[in-house]
Amino acid sequence: MLQIYNSLTRKKETFQPLVPGKISMYVCGMTVYDYCHLGHGRVFVAFDVIARYLRAKGYDINYIRNITDIDDKIIRRAQENNEDWQLLVDRFVGAMDEDFAALGIQKPSLEPKATEYIDQIIAMVETLINNGMAYPADNGDVYYVVEKFDSYGRLSGKVLDELRSGARVDVGEAKRNPLDFALWKAAKPGEPAWDSPWGKGRPGWHIECSAMSTCCLGNTFDIHGGGPDLKFPHHENEIAQSEAATGEKYANTWMHAGPLRLNDEKMSKSLGNFFTIRDILAKHPAELVRFYLLASHYRSPMNYTETSIDEAFSGLERLYTALRGLDLSPEVVTSQFTERFNQVMDDDFNTPEALAVMYDLAREVNRMRKVNQLEQATVLAGELKQLGDVLGILQQEPETFFKGGGEQAVDAEQIEQLIACRNQARAEKNWAEADRVRDELQAMGVVLEDSREGTTWKLDR
């Protein structure tokens, strides 16, 4: 029985989709004005695994992940770069696609952009004005009336009285109450703009997701997810807008990934510890980074250090070692290991425990090898690879992994020739020559492993 922690109720709940066998899921995607950082990678790897596992359980999942392609940050960055805003957006959408593909993040069912839903956004704003939950200001802005939504704050735990004490009206805003937020923003000279009943302007950030999610999934859908910083005000405002506009419950289950820190500090450009995904991928293989992100539960805070990613490599290497040298069975196999894997994944997608099950399975593969039960070892190794596929790992050929996975420039043919020379020297009992070749290989970062079956090699990290 699948249990999911619901951020709205603050407890695990048995998951029951609105339509049996089908799941509707919306995850807030990127605002594309810069490269994705590792925290973004953490969030979208987590929801990629969730989508993969739900499909593996047999659900037909409609997974929507939006792109915010118009926003204050986008306009500001384009102005700073003296660059057309649409060209900026296209450039960073392309970079996002490259980064996500490298991390094994599969494309969602649909990836709507805010600018493709301007008509639907305007229609939702008009509905909110007509039912008294929003008002047009004299300057062309339109604001949502927070105090009219009785359950405002239930997701984030915020209390209106406390919010009032810290609220203020920024210069240029025409809101009646400091708590009110913009649904539509009047365009400033030179900014991208669309026609509306209130004059030329563009949507506020929060209304974009309300319009896109309800248009793509309906007024009520199963799961809404996102990063830890979106719970307030973004998701809180989405609930207020959507439920006031439709009169129906917005999302049944809310899921939020945990924060990622770097060396025990919040990621910050000013602190010099702000790493993009491509910064990390320039130093480490993509599969290793993904594996590292899976080693913590998606809701848990996570601290990135170079030491921790080195430890993750040891774990990934253990799994690939179990697969090495076996002709993996293409047939679908399940055993008590798959049952255990599903049990822990059914417990709010517990990937650390799922990896623990896979380590146990790898240990059993190795035990079968030692007692020369290679047929059983091969079947279990096939099962290990199948479970890896659910998590988006272990899909390389083991030898490709051990020999750098294309991440490092090595001459495999030269290495094989040197190993052949060493083996010849050993056969002739020319130990000095064998040691010399071994030292040459070590200087190239090659680790040799001698066994009864022969000599294999891998690259040292």
Side-chain angles (χ1 to χ4, degrees):
M1 192 72 72
L2 179 61
Q3 298 276 314
I4 301 179
Y5 182 87
N6 189 346
S7 300
L8 186 66
T9 60
R10 298 169 182 77
K11 63 182 181 181
K12 288 182 187 177
E13 298 173 342
T14 299
F15 179 73
Q16 296 288 349
L18 289 164
V19 178
K22 297 180 182 294
I23 293 177
S24 48
M25 181 168 79
Y26 183 91
V27 175
C28 290
M30 291 298 303
T31 300
V32 283
Y33 71 99
D34 206 343
Y35 293 111
C36 302
H37 59 64
L38 191 58
H40 297 134
R42 199 271 168 101
V43 171
F44 296 115
V45 165
F47 283 102
D48 178 68
V49 168
I50 289 165
R52 284 171 181 260
Y53 182 66
L54 293 173
R55 289 192 190 100
K57 284 181 70 70
Y59 286 106
D60 178 9
I61 179 170
N62 190 7
Y63 174 21
I64 310 299
R65 190 183 70 215
N66 77 294
I67 293 174
T68 294
D69 62 341
I70 188 64
D71 175 82
D72 291 341
K73 293 175 181 177
I74 292 170
I75 294 171
R76 191 179 308 119
R77 180 61 58 86
Q79 291 172 343
E80 290 169 356
N81 293 355
N82 195 26
E83 181 179 9
D84 179 83
W85 71 274
Q86 187 63 65
L87 293 178
L88 177 97
V89 164
D90 292 343
R91 182 159 60 89
F92 283 118
V93 167
M96 177 194 74
D97 287 343
E98 290 173 0
D99 292 344
F100 285 8
L103 287 177
I105 299 171
Q106 296 177 336
K107 280 281 191 181
S109 309
L110 186 66
E111 208 165 18
K113 295 178 180 177
T115 56
E116 298 169 346
Y117 285 77
I118 296 296
D119 290 345
Q120 293 89 336
I121 290 168
I122 289 173
M124 183 172 273
V125 174
E126 287 183 306
T127 297
L128 291 169
I129 292 172
N130 291 338
N131 66 20
M133 295 300 293
Y135 59 91
D138 294 338
N139 65 349
D141 292 346
V142 180
Y143 292 97
Y144 183 89
V145 186
V146 168
E147 292 195 330
K148 283 192 174 183
F149 190 70
D150 294 337
S151 58
Y152 191 85
R154 71 175 186 246
L155 175 67
S156 60
K158 303 288 185 182
V159 178
L160 279 179
D161 287 341
E162 294 175 359
L163 291 173
R164 286 189 198 97
S165 65
R168 62 187 177 85
V169 177
D170 291 332
V171 175
E173 291 185 315
K175 60 178 71 174
R176 297 171 185 168
N177 187 309
L179 291 179
D180 297 345
F181 59 86
L183 300 172
W184 186 263
K185 295 185 175 185
K188 298 182 179 68
E191 289 185 348
W194 290 262
D195 291 327
S196 82
W198 319 286
K200 284 190 172 292
R202 57 188 170 82
W205 177 36
H206 313 300
I207 196 70
E208 294 175 1
C209 283
S210 287
M212 285 186 281
S213 60
T214 53
C215 286
C216 294
L217 298 176
N219 292 346
T220 305
F221 51 92
D222 291 308
I223 298 171
H224 195 313
D229 54 330
L230 298 184
K231 190 179 292 186
F232 184 85
H234 185 54
H235 288 165
E236 197 73 72
N237 289 351
E238 276 190 65
I239 293 172
Q241 297 163 157
S242 304
E243 296 189 0
T246 68
E248 300 178 43
K249 185 176 182 180
Y250 183 37
N252 281 340
T253 301
W254 285 84
M255 301 179 68
H256 293 91
L260 178 72
R261 297 169 69 84
L262 300 176
N263 298 314
D264 291 316
E265 293 181 318
K266 182 179 179 181
M267 281 196 299
S268 168
K269 289 184 178 178
S270 63
L271 294 173
N273 67 349
F274 181 90
F275 295 151
T276 66
I277 291 173
R278 50 192 54 204
D279 289 336
I280 300 298
L281 295 185
K283 299 169 63 178
H284 301 291
E287 185 178 12
L288 172 58
V289 177
R290 182 182 177 97
F291 182 84
Y292 166 75
L293 295 173
L294 297 176
S296 294
H297 191 277
Y298 79 91
R299 284 192 289 114
S300 299
M302 194 171 187
N303 183 48
Y304 178 92
T305 65
E306 286 298 310
T307 299
S308 61
I309 203 163
D310 286 341
E311 292 170 351
F313 179 80
S314 298
L316 185 58
E317 186 178 49
R318 283 170 59 190
L319 298 179
Y320 267 114
T321 297
L323 300 179
R324 195 174 195 183
L326 294 174
D327 183 14
L328 300 184
S329 172
E331 64 185 84
V332 176
V333 293
T334 59
S335 71
Q336 54 104 355
F337 291 102
T338 296
E339 292 173 8
R340 287 172 52 199
F341 179 93
N342 290 338
Q343 285 173 0
V344 297
M345 286 296 286
D346 277 348
D347 184 13
D348 197 29
F349 311 101
N350 195 331
T351 55
E353 289 298 319
L355 291 176
V357 172
M358 292 173 68
Y359 290 142
D360 288 346
L361 177 52
R363 191 177 301 113
E364 184 65 11
V365 173
N366 294 332
R367 189 180 74 81
M368 290 291 103
R369 284 183 198 260
K370 286 182 179 178
V371 296
N372 209 30
Q373 294 187 21
L374 293 183
E375 183 176 345
Q376 182 63 14
T378 298
V379 171
L380 291 174
E383 183 176 13
L384 178 60
K385 186 170 182 177
Q386 285 179 180
L387 297 182
D389 187 39
V390 177
L391 301 182
I393 58 173
L394 300 185
Q395 300 309 295
Q396 295 187 73
E397 288 297 322
E399 290 307 310
T400 302
F401 169 80
F402 285 109
K403 295 172 184 178
E407 306 285 344
Q408 296 171 255
V410 297
D411 188 336
E413 185 176 346
Q414 180 191 9
I415 291 170
E416 296 288 356
Q417 288 174 352
L418 286 170
I419 290 173
C421 290
R422 174 177 176 265
N423 289 342
Q424 179 67 29
R426 293 176 71 192
E428 296 170 354
K429 298 188 179 344
N430 186 349
W431 307 119
E433 176 63 10
D435 288 346
R436 185 197 67 76
V437 176
R438 181 200 61 203
D439 292 343
E440 183 178 348
L441 287 164
Q442 285 180 343
M444 295 168 63
V446 176
V447 177
L448 299 180
E449 296 176 350
D450 295 315
S451 68
R452 287 177 300 178
E453 288 78 28
T455 301
T456 58
W457 63 274
K458 65 182 180 180
L459 292 178
D460 195 13
R461 274 180 54 78

